[in-house]
């Protein structure tokens, strides 16, 4: 069965997006991509050393993988827009993950500035994937602003704490007519699986793989978990029941009366 | 409001009595806590906590890998000028020391910049002595304009400035400030700073806050370890960092742990923190401020630096010299202090890789 995720005109077979930060060596990246099956990878423009022959992260990213530069370090819309333009001018393509953070304690995103940056960049032809706290009104504004997807956090970034914001993400999935990509907080494959079962379009994660004792093995586990979660969503699980079904239901008499 | 008000709360605090009341159970509980209070932090700096160092280190390692990954950001200092009007007992640039004075011309700055950039470094830290009439804000600004052509991040470590001056330098391309209080002990501060503009304790203390107000992207503070009792200095450094991070959430606050090194002059350190103490400060600070950067410079020797990489350090200098023009010029002037880790950038890169960490050369992009 064909089940592709289409963002910015590109059809993706894999619904796992991965990151590039925090690895002990960027040389791990090709194998992470291969074992996880991920086709989208995010990279902070601030980290790309375009002039380096030995330490340029881009040299480890295969050409067929979709590059998703991000605006890490931006403290407001203006800085995010500048970073995005620099990324495109440097040949990193027109996808951009907007990350505007003015809170260095919890690293929570700034919704208002994110909306402003999205508006500007979408009008300049970028495929914009904004990272937000799961706030319905912010998400709706992003739809208006021209976002290509909405990426709510499952828990504060880098915490590996799992889907703490599950109920809010569920509302976004129900109400927002764009792909919902759960980004940040996912710590275990079971978290990713759960997000996909709920109907998330994809999951983006980095710390959970990069900080694992065996990153490659963890990458593979996440690839499978995301796939399993997606399949379960498509299969439509039966409703969970709190109690066993009564064998003599209260309305059973209606059937008996109709038969008479 | 100023950090000075918080300093006053603890200025006459009876640290020893507090330390005497600490139990092993209390320390264990603090290590397992999510968010530490100032008193919790002080608990981890206590003599008693030394027994729990391994447990603290394990936790600090975990938290650091989680937030920063297995990465070490590399930078190098470039000394622009060693003219100075201060008499600071612990410093080689002390105006009373008869050393050769020099200030780089813009052409010389460019020559140094080229040579450093060729090593692959993208982050530079520029330093001057405290001589406004020589290394003026205008001069520093001109240097910054040259340096942004070669580096993607330019930090300054210069005399304390006004908010407007910081704002001007940010406009010119500076993204980070390093400024050490040297000692938080106000009485001692007055004794070791004999003469010069630096003698003003409050002006120095509020300098990092002025930079935050000017929207500096990152601000790095510290105390020169060896002037006063290290437990107190570490405590005040942490309090100061926390004070700034609470109020200026869009500035990245980080700390350095500079240990006093031999230098020109005859000042003898009062309270040398040994390697164990250095580790205790580092891991206690990491647990107190999980997301804040920690810098260890080449004041420390190679073996120590290699071993603390896993304990919370996020940034290190490489290929360092404290001599003005030291990256390119043959004629060696007297440096600010002696460095202990003389490895060049290639050697540092290899060492970091060898320890299973990634050397990061670029972590900012001048906008």
């Amino acid at each position: 069965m064909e089940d592709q995720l289409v963002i910015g005109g590109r059809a993706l077979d894999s619904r796992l997006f991965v990151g590039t930060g925090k690895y002990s060596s960027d040389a791990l990246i090709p194998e992470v991509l291969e074992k996880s099956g991920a086709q989208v990878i995010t990279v902070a423009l601030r980290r790309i050393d375009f002039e380096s022959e030995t330490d340029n992260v881009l040299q480890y990213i295969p050409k067929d993988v979709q590059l998703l530069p991000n605006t890490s370090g931006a403290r407001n819309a203006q800085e995010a827009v500048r970073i995005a333009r620099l990324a495109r001018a440097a040949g990193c393509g027109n996808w951009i993950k907007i990350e505007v953070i003015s809170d260095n304690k919890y690293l929570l995103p700034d919704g208002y500035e994110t909306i402003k940056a999205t508006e500007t960049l979408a009008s300049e032809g970028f495929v914009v994937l904004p990272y937000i706290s799961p706030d319905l009104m912010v998400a709706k504004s992003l739809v208006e602003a021209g976002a290509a997807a909405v990426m709510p956090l499952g828990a504060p970034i880098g915490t590996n704490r799992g889907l703490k914001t599950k109920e809010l993400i569920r509302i976004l999935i129900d109400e927002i007519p764009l792909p919902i990509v759960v980004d940040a907080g996912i710590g275990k494959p079971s978290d990713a699986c759960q997000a996909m079962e709920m109907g998330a379009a994809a999951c983006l994660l980095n710390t959970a793989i990069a900080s694992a004792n065996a990153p490659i093995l963890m990458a593979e586990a996440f690839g499978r978990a995301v796939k399993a979660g997606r399949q379960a969503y498509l299969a439509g699980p039966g409703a969970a029941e709190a109690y066993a079904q009564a064998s003599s239901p209260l309305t059973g008499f209606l059937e008996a009366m109709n038969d008479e | 409001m100023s950090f000075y008000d918080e300093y006053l709360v603890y200025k006459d605090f009876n640290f020893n009595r507090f330390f005497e009341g600490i139990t092993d159970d209390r320390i264990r509980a603090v290590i397992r806590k999510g968010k530490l209070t100032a008193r919790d932090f002080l608990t981890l700096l206590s003599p008693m906590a030394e027994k729990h160092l391994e447990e603290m280190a394990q936790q600090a390692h975990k938290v650091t890998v989680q937030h920063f990954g297995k990465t070490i950001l590399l930078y190098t200092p470039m000394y622009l000028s060693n003219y100075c009007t201060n008499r600071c007992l612990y410093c080689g640039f002390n105006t009373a020391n008869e050393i050769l004075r020099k200030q780089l011309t813009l052409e010389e700055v460019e020559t140094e910049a080229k040579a450093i950039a060729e090593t692959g470094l993208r982050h530079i830290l520029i330093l001057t002595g405290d001589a406004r009439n020589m290394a003026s804000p205008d001069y520093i600004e001109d240097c910054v304009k040259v340096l942004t052509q070669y580096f993607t991040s330019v930090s300054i470590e210069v005399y304390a400035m006004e908010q407007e001056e910081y704002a001007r330098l940010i406009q010119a391309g500076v993204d980070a400030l390093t400024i050490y209080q040297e000692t938080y002990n106000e009485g001692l501060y007055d004794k070791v700073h004999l003469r010069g503009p630096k003698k003003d304790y409050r002006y120095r203390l509020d300098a990092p806050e002025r930079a935050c107000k000017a929207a500096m992207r990152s601000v790095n503070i510290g105390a020169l370890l060896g002037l006063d009792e290290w437990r107190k200095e570490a405590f005040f450094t942490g309090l100061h960092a926390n004070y700034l991070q609470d109020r200026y959430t869009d500035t990245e606050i980080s700390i350095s742990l500079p240990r006093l090194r031999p230098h020109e002059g005859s000042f003898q350190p009062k309270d040398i923190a040994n390697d164990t103490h250095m580790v205790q400060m580092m891991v206690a600070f990491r647990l107190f401020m999980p997301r804040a950067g920690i810098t260890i410079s080449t004041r420390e020797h190679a073996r120590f630096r290699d071993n603390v990489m896993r304990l919370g350090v996020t940034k290190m200098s490489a290929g360092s010299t404290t001599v003005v023009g030291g990256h390119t010029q043959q004629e060696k002037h007297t440096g600010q202090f002696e460095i202990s880790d003389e490895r060049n950038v290639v050697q540092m890169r290899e060492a970091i890789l060898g320890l299973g960490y990634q050397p990061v050369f670029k972590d900012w992009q001048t906008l």
Side-chain angles (χ1 to χ4, degrees), chain A residues 124-160:
Chain A
E124 292 178 12
F126 281 90
V127 175
V128 185
L129 292 86
Y131 165 60
I132 60 165
S133 287
D135 180 300
L136 180 61
M137 295 312 142
V138 169
K140 282 186 170 174
S141 301
L142 289 169
V143 176
E144 290 293 308
V150 170
M151 307 211 289
L153 56 89
I157 195 165
T159 59
N160 284 348

Side-chain angles (χ1 to χ4, degrees), chain B residues 292-312:
Chain B
I294 300 179
T295 302
I296 290 286
S297 76
T298 54
R299 286 171 181 269
E300 301 300 332
H301 53 79
R303 195 168 154 215
F304 181 76
R305 295 218 307 164
D306 286 355
N307 278 293
V308 296
M309 231 175 268
R310 298 189 304 154
L311 299 181

Side-chain angles (χ1 to χ4, degrees), chain A residues 22 48 73 102 104-105 158, chain B residues 66 122 217 246 249 356 362:
Chain A
K22 301 186 177 178
I48 306 176
S102 53
N104 273 294
K105 283 186 89 173
Chain B
Q66 190 186 334
R122 299 286 177 261
R217 175 168 298 278
D246 270 346
T249 59
K362 177 172 176 280

Side-chain angles (χ1 to χ4, degrees), chain B residues 105-338:
Chain B
T105 64
L106 293 182
E107 291 71 35
E108 287 172 322
V109 169
E110 183 148 17
T111 309
E112 288 264 301
K114 272 184 193 155
I116 295 168
E118 272 169 23
T119 67
L121 292 175
R122 299 286 177 261
H123 287 233
I124 190 92
L125 168 69
I126 53 173
L127 300 94
T128 69
D130 189 344
R132 268 180 178 270
N133 58 336
M134 293 294 297
S136 65
D138 283 342
Y139 165 76
I140 296 171
E141 188 178 343
D142 289 341
C143 292
V144 170
K145 287 178 182 160
V146 172
L147 292 165
T148 49
Q149 297 166 39
Y150 295 90
F151 301 97
T152 63
S153 166
V154 180
S155 309
I156 50 169
E157 185 172 347
V158 300
Y159 44 86
M161 287 183 162
E162 294 294 329
Q163 185 181 326
E164 296 69 32
E165 291 171 328
Y166 287 130
R168 245 181 68 193
L169 291 176
I170 292 168
Q171 198 59 38
V174 167
D175 60 277
L177 168 76
T178 286
I179 188 159
Y180 300 148
Q181 184 59 25
E182 319 297 8
T183 174
Y184 283 90
N185 180 332
E186 196 175 3
L188 179 68
Y189 186 94
D190 196 55
K191 288 198 186 90
V192 296
H193 298 99
L194 297 180
R195 200 161 59 77
K198 195 169 172 179
K199 199 168 176 59
D200 189 339
Y201 176 88
R202 282 291 302 274
Y203 189 71
R204 182 95 181 165
L205 191 71
D206 292 334
E209 182 158 12
R210 289 195 294 276
C212 290
K213 284 180 177 161
M216 189 70 79
R217 175 168 298 278
S218 86
V219 168
N220 181 43
I221 61 170
L224 189 52
L225 300 164
L227 295 178
D228 195 15
E229 294 165 52
W230 66 264
R231 291 179 212 278
K232 291 184 190 172
E233 298 286 30
F235 177 62
F236 284 119
T237 304
L239 275 193
H240 197 179
N242 192 50
Y243 166 90
L244 293 169
Q245 193 64 91
D246 270 346
R247 280 161 187 77
Y248 306 96
T249 59
D250 60 356
T251 296
E252 285 176 21
I253 305 296
S254 59
I255 64 153
S256 285
L257 295 170
R259 237 189 315 195
L260 201 50
R261 298 290 311 150
H263 60 94
E264 199 66 24
S266 57
F267 180 79
Q268 286 308 313
K270 173 184 168 187
D271 181 35
I272 284 286
N274 65 28
D275 290 353
T276 306
H277 299 148
M278 287 290 283
V279 167
Q280 190 176 346
M281 278 184 255
M282 201 177 296
V283 297
F285 180 74
R286 168 57 64 235
L287 298 183
F288 182 50
M289 292 185 70
R291 294 184 190 275
I294 300 179
T295 302
I296 290 286
S297 76
T298 54
R299 286 171 181 269
E300 301 300 332
H301 53 79
R303 195 168 154 215
F304 181 76
R305 295 218 307 164
D306 286 355
N307 278 293
V308 296
M309 231 175 268
R310 298 189 304 154
L311 299 181
V313 178
T314 55
K315 195 170 166 183
M316 284 186 172
S317 47
S320 298
T321 165
T322 70
V323 176
V324 178
H327 292 280
T328 51
Q329 300 188 2
Q330 295 307 315
E331 187 191 347
K332 295 292 180 199
H333 299 262
T334 310
Q336 188 184 24
F337 56 85
E338 289 173 22

